[in-house]
Amino acid sequence: MEKQEIMENLARGVVDGDPEACRQNAREALREGIDPLDAVEQGLSGGMGVVGDRFERGEVYLPELLMAADAFNAAMEILRPEMEAQNKELAKIGTVLLGTVKGDVHNIGKNIVATVLETRGFSVVDMGVDIPSLGFIEEAKKVKADVIALSSLMTTSMPAQREVIETLKEMNLRDRYLVIVGGGPVSKEWADQIGADGYGKSAVEAVQIIKGLLATRG
Amino acid sequence: MPDFLDFMERAVTGPIVSEHDFYMKTLIPSIRRLLDDFDIKYDPTSPLPWDDNLADRLFEAAIELLAATGVYCDGTNRIISMDREEIKEALEGLPEGRTFGEGSERRLFVSRKPGDSRPPWCHVGTGIVASSEDIATAEVEGYGRIPEANSISIPALNRVRGMPVIGGSPLEIHATINSVQAGRRALWRCGRPGLPILNLISSATTAVATIAGTHPTFGLRPSDGWLIDVIAEMKVNFETLNRLAFVLITGGNVGSAALPILGGYGGGPAGTALLMAAYYLVGILLFRAVYHLTGPIHFNHGCSTTRGCLWVFSVVGRATSRNTRFPAIGLGYSAAGPCTRMYFYETAAVNLCCVTSGYGGVQTVHPARAVIEDGVTPLEALFNVETAYAATGMEPERANELVDRLLEKYEKDIENAPPGKRYQECYDMGTKAPLEEYVRLYGETKEELAKMGIPFGR
C-alpha cells in the first residue's frame, strides 16, 4: 500500500470515529516502515483537523468530536511505543491544563473545550471537576502547562476563578501561566475584573483565544 | 413502583462504569440507535413542527433511552437503572396536577395539550443574579404586580455584606436565606403574599444551603416548589440526591430541572430532543417531581432561541404533553438583553413554540443568557405573559409561520446580540417604573408584532 493511501486511511479512521480501523491502519503504517511521527502528524492529526473544522462550522457536535478523539487515541496505543523506542516526540503547540473550579461539578462545557483543543493539536491535561485552587497550580507546575483554563457554571463558583489568579500572584507564579476563564455565567467583564488573560464565550472561541495568546507570548 | 431509597440502593449497587464509558459506550450509541430506529430527524424548514406521529415516536424513543441508559451516579460511578415497566407505571400513576400557593393565590398547576385553549401557567421572573437585596426586592415586586402571574422566581444573590458568595461556604447559607426573605418581603409589599415561589432556592447550589434556607422562619412554605437539577446529561451526584432526599422526606414539592445542551452529548437537535424528553421521565421516576422545568441551550451561543432550539422546544412539548400529565414549564434563554428589540422578538418566538406545543407553563425568558448581574426587569416578564396569552389556542401552522418571520428578524444577530441594560439603567429606582425610553421601545415592538399577526390583548 502506498504511503499516501495509508495516511488517508489513518485520517479517515479518525473522521469516522472508528477505533478499530485506526488500530489496523496504525499497524499497517508500521509494517510499511512509515515513521510513526509522520503517521501521527500527517495522518491522524489531519483527521482531527477535519473533525475540528466541521465542529467549528456547526456540522458536527460533541459526540463526533469524542469519537474522533477515541479513534485517535486507539491508533496512538500502537504508535506511541514505537515513537518512544525511536526517541521521537510530537511537536508541541502548547499544554493546556483545564478543569472546573472548586465547588462546581459541571463538566460538559469543559469537556467540549478539551476535545476541541485536542483536535487542534494541543496537549490537554483535564483535571476534572471541583478542583481546589492549589490543585490547579501544583498540577500546572508538574505538567509544565502553558495555559490554565478555568471553567465555572455557577455564580457561586466564579469567585474560585479569581482565587486561582490571586493564589498565583501570592506565589509569584502569575507570569508563568496564561489564565483563561469560561462557563455559563462568566463574562468578558468578569474576566477583566479578576485579571484573567482571556475569556472564551464558547469552546471554539476559547481555542482561538488560547492560540492567539500563545502566539503573542511567542 | 420503586421509591427513592430503592433508587439509592441502585446508586450504590448498580453496574460500575467509568463516566467516559457511560457516555461513549452507552449514552451516545443509544441516542444514535434510537434516532434511527424511531426515524427522528430535525427539519430546519419548520421550527415549530406539529407532526403528532413524530411526537409520539419521540416519546416512545425517550422511554427506550432511559431504559437503555439509566442515570449515572457520579458519587459512586454506578448506573441507577430503570426499566420500561417502572417508567410506564410511574406515568400511569401521575396525578392530574399539583396545587401551589396560599390563600387567594392558591392554584392548580396542570399539564396542557397541543392547541389547548387554556392559557399556560405563567411562571414569572428569573433566577438571574441580583447585586443586592434592594434590587432583588424591586424586581420581585414588579413581577408580583403582573396579574396573570401564577408563580414567581426569585433572583439569586451573589454578595453578602459585600463579599462574593462562595458555593458550599457559610456565605452561601447567608445568601440563600437573604434571597428567600427578600422574595417573600417583596410579595408582601405588592399585596400577593400567597404567590408561590417555584425556584427554591436560587442562591443555594449545595444541599446544606438548601436545607438551611428551607427553615420555615425564613418564609418558605410547603406550597412553594424546590427546583433540583441534573448536573450533566443523564448524570446526578450526591449533592443532587441529598437535596432530593431532604425535600422528599419533608414533603416539599420537587421540581425537576434539566436544560440539555444542544451540541453536547445528545448531538444535534434530534438527539437533544430525545434527551430532553427522557428527562421528563427521570423527573417523574427518580426525582418524584410534581413539576418540571426544561429547555435546550445551544452549545455555542448559550441561548435557546436558535432555529434548532426552537424545534427542540416544539417537538418535545408536543411529545410529552400528548403522552403524560406531568406539568412542565418551558424556559428559554435569549441572546439579547433587556431593553432591546431583539429580546422581544426572541421571547415571542419561544412562547409561540411552547404555548402551542402544549407546555403546561412558560417562564419568563432569561435575558442575555442570564449572565449579566441585574440584567433583568419586570417589563420582560410582562411581555412574556402577554405573548403567552396571545399564543394560546393559535393553530400550529400559523405559529410556525410567525416564528419563521421572527427568526428572519433576529437569527443573524445571535452571535453578536446586544447585551441590553441593567435594571438600574432602564428603571426609575424611586418609583420602580420603567423609564420612558424602555416603555416606548416596548410599545413600538408590540405594535410591530401585532401587525405581523400576534393577537395581543385578546
Side-chain angles (χ1 to χ4, degrees):
Chain A
M1 200 182 287
E2 293 289 319
K3 180 178 177 183
Q4 183 60 29
E5 193 182 348
I6 293 171
M7 294 303 185
E8 284 169 9
N9 287 345
L10 281 164
R12 191 176 307 114
V14 171
V15 173
D16 293 345
D18 187 341
E20 196 40 52
C22 276
R23 281 192 201 97
Q24 280 178 17
N25 293 329
R27 286 191 198 100
E28 177 70 19
L30 295 181
R31 261 199 307 273
E32 293 292 326
I34 292 173
D35 184 331
L37 203 56
D38 287 351
V40 179
E41 291 179 342
Q42 295 169 31
L44 298 175
S45 296
M48 288 298 272
V50 169
V51 179
D53 289 344
R54 289 182 183 171
F55 180 79
E56 289 193 10
R57 291 196 298 267
E59 295 167 7
V60 298
Y61 300 104
L62 181 61
E64 289 80 8
L65 279 184
L66 290 171
M67 288 164 71
D70 268 13
F72 182 99
N73 289 332
M76 287 302 290
E77 287 167 17
I78 311 292
L79 298 172
R80 190 176 289 112
E82 192 59 29
M83 284 166 58
E84 285 170 359
Q86 296 179 22
N87 276 328
K88 289 182 173 170
E89 279 185 16
L90 286 170
K92 192 178 158 191
I93 300 177
T95 299
V96 181
L97 176 78
L98 89 170
T100 306
V101 295
K102 186 173 63 183
D104 198 328
V105 294
H106 294 89
N107 67 1
I108 298 180
K110 169 190 68 65
N111 293 352
I112 296 176
V113 173
T115 314
V116 178
L117 282 165
E118 281 174 352
T119 67
R120 294 308 183 201
F122 283 91
S123 170
V124 178
V125 181
D126 184 350
M127 291 192 72
V129 299
D130 195 16
I131 307 299
S133 301
L134 264 181
F136 278 110
I137 296 167
E138 292 304 321
E139 189 67 14
K141 285 196 267 185
K142 205 162 92 186
V143 301
K144 298 185 172 56
D146 300 295
V147 179
I148 300 175
L150 306 168
S151 175
S152 162
L153 262 293
M154 301 188 301
T155 53
T156 50
S157 64
M158 283 164 58
Q161 294 182 328
R162 187 206 313 257
E163 189 180 277
V164 173
I165 292 171
E166 292 303 317
T167 310
L168 281 168
K169 283 182 191 164
E170 285 175 32
M171 296 171 77
N172 292 320
L173 292 169
R174 180 65 186 90
D175 294 339
R176 191 185 292 183
Y177 307 104
L178 292 163
V179 179
I180 74 153
V181 295
V186 177
S187 62
K188 171 82 169 61
E189 189 183 17
W190 168 253
D192 292 342
Q193 196 183 321
I194 64 174
D197 296 299
Y199 156 72
K201 194 172 81 175
S202 65
V204 170
E205 196 179 293
V207 174
Q208 287 162 353
I209 282 164
I210 289 172
K211 275 183 174 174
L213 287 170
L214 285 172
T216 309
R217 178 174 267 199
Chain B
M1 191 174 94
D3 65 14
F4 180 72
L5 286 180
D6 292 324
F7 287 123
M8 265 315 296
E9 188 181 0
R10 295 178 198 183
V12 294
T13 62
I16 195 160
V17 61
S18 71
E19 185 180 325
H20 177 270
D21 284 357
F22 174 71
Y23 284 120
M24 296 305 293
K25 294 181 180 169
T26 302
L27 186 68
I28 291 173
S30 298
I31 289 173
R32 293 180 154 218
R33 174 176 58 80
L34 290 165
L35 292 180
D36 279 344
D37 289 353
F38 286 86
D39 190 28
I40 297 159
K41 291 188 177 71
Y42 167 54
D43 174 11
T45 63
S46 177
L48 199 166
W50 59 91
D51 178 347
D52 287 340
N53 193 280
L54 169 68
D56 293 347
R57 292 200 309 275
L58 179 70
F59 191 75
E60 284 304 313
I63 293 175
E64 293 300 318
L65 179 65
L66 184 57
T69 65
V71 173
Y72 189 70
C73 179
D74 198 38
T76 59
N77 302 114
R78 291 178 189 273
I79 292 174
I80 304 172
S81 305
M82 296 159 209
D83 66 38
R84 281 177 204 82
E85 287 65 37
E86 289 169 349
I87 297 167
K88 289 187 172 168
E89 193 186 348
L91 285 167
E92 283 163 15
L94 275 172
E96 288 298 330
R98 180 59 67 115
T99 304
F100 294 93
E102 300 283 325
S104 60
E105 305 294 349
R106 195 165 169 77
R107 303 263 191 287
L108 182 66
F109 179 17
V110 293
S111 62
R112 293 168 66 251
K113 298 288 176 202
D116 207 309
S117 59
R118 295 168 298 175
W121 177 277
C122 288
H123 183 46
V124 167
T126 77
I128 289 181
V129 173
S131 60
S132 70
E133 282 183 59
D134 285 348
I135 297 284
T137 306
E139 287 173 357
V140 176
E141 268 192 76
Y143 304 150
R145 292 205 189 95
I146 299 169
E148 295 85 357
N150 298 112
S151 58
I152 64 155
S153 256
I154 53 173
L157 293 172
N158 68 349
R159 285 195 201 89
V160 172
R161 210 190 289 168
M163 289 181 280
V165 172
I166 299 167
S169 77
L171 293 167
E172 186 188 4
I173 291 177
H174 273 267
T176 295
I177 292 168
N178 292 356
S179 69
V180 173
Q181 287 181 319
R184 195 58 85 195
R185 197 164 53 239
L187 291 175
W188 277 102
R189 280 194 198 171
C190 64
R192 299 184 73 182
L195 207 57
I197 301 171
L198 287 203
N199 71 325
L200 292 174
I201 301 169
S202 53
S203 297
T205 58
T206 59
V208 69
T210 302
I211 294 167
T214 298
H215 194 288
T217 303
F218 309 127
L220 292 190
R221 301 165 177 150
S223 58
D224 290 323
W226 280 254
L227 212 50
I228 301 176
D229 53 0
V230 293
I231 56 167
E233 307 305 11
M234 288 291 175
K235 189 167 87 165
V236 294
N237 64 0
F238 277 167
E239 281 295 334
T240 313
L241 297 173
N242 287 342
R243 295 166 81 200
L244 263 180
F246 171 75
V247 179
L248 289 172
I249 289 167
T250 53
N253 296 312
V254 172
S256 48
L259 303 165
I261 293 180
L262 195 162
Y265 289 107
T272 307
L274 180 52
L275 263 178
M276 192 160 130
Y279 280 134
Y280 280 67
L281 308 173
V282 173
I284 294 165
L285 191 52
L286 174 61
F287 281 44
R288 313 186 83 73
V290 295
Y291 69 106
H292 190 61
L293 182 83
T294 194
I297 298 179
H298 193 276
F299 75 105
N300 208 14
H301 302 304
C303 67
S304 41
T305 54
T306 66
R307 185 174 289 270
C309 285
L310 294 176
W311 184 89
V312 173
F313 264 126
S314 303
V315 72
V316 172
R318 184 164 288 264
T320 52
S321 62
R322 280 175 57 80
N323 290 283
T324 80
R325 294 187 298 275
F326 195 33
I329 298 172
L331 167 61
Y333 286 76
S334 66
C339 200
T340 65
R341 203 173 281 266
M342 185 169 160
Y343 173 84
F344 293 129
Y345 295 154
E346 291 177 273
T347 292
V350 169
N351 284 335
L352 283 164
C353 289
C354 289
V355 175
T356 58
S357 300
Y359 284 82
V362 289
Q363 181 171 2
T364 304
V365 172
H366 285 26
R369 306 185 296 127
V371 299
I372 299 171
E373 189 175 270
D374 296 333
V376 55
T377 80
L379 196 54
E380 290 105 65
L382 176 65
F383 184 77
N384 272 264
V385 167
E386 290 172 338
T387 47
Y389 271 66
T392 301
M394 189 183 288
E395 290 297 320
E397 295 91 330
R398 177 72 181 132
N400 183 52
E401 282 171 24
L402 290 168
V403 170
D404 238 345
R405 291 178 64 186
L406 287 162
L407 277 163
E408 276 172 28
K409 288 179 179 290
Y410 74 76
E411 202 171 13
K412 62 187 180 309
D413 298 322
I414 286 177
E415 180 65 34
N416 296 301
K421 296 186 174 180
R422 294 170 195 273
Y423 180 90
Q424 302 89 315
E425 294 169 325
C426 52
Y427 263 63
D428 184 310
M429 296 300 287
T431 64
K432 294 170 186 164
L435 297 176
E436 194 184 329
E437 175 204 357
Y438 195 7
V439 174
R440 191 169 52 243
L441 179 74
Y442 158 79
E444 286 171 2
T445 315
K446 255 184 82 173
E447 201 179 318
E448 179 192 348
L449 297 182
K451 279 182 189 158
M452 191 197 281
I454 297 178
F456 289 109
R458 286 185 304 171

